[in-house]
Amino acid sequence: MKTYLRKLKRRKRKAQHVKYLENRINELHNDIIKDILKGNDKLKVYNKSRLLIKYNRRLKLILY
């Protein structure tokens, strides 16, 4: 019974983490597009794009 409860809690945490990553990826993508259109600092755009790549990679590893 304890192992079953542990698995349920883990599944819930994983689902929450996946949802957080998906939301963060969408926010970063939108921020990058807005910054490019406004012509903001290229360093900010570069850092956000690296984070986007990092989060996409992490999401892939979690889901598969």
Side-chain angles (χ1 to χ4, degrees):
M1 185 69 177
K2 289 181 183 180
T3 57
Y4 181 69
L5 289 174
R6 200 174 315 139
K7 286 181 183 180
L8 282 176
K9 287 180 183 177
R10 182 173 181 203
R11 192 178 309 152
K12 182 180 176 186
R13 282 195 312 265
K14 182 179 175 181
Q16 288 173 344
H17 189 60
V18 167
K19 185 191 288 186
Y20 170 78
L21 282 175
E22 288 173 344
N23 288 337
R24 187 68 182 132
I25 287 170
N26 289 334
E27 288 174 10
L28 278 172
H29 183 267
N30 290 336
D31 287 345
I32 290 171
I33 298 298
K34 288 177 186 175
D35 288 344
I36 288 174
L37 291 176
K38 288 181 181 178
N40 285 349
D41 188 20
K42 289 185 180 183
L43 184 61
K44 282 185 179 180
V45 173
Y46 177 76
N47 289 336
K48 287 180 183 180
S49 66
R50 295 301 301 165
L51 273 176
L52 183 66
I53 291 168
K54 178 181 170 182
Y55 289 158
N56 275 325
R57 191 177 310 133
R58 186 175 294 171
L59 184 63
K60 248 191 252 182
L61 287 173
I62 289 174
L63 290 178
Y64 301 110

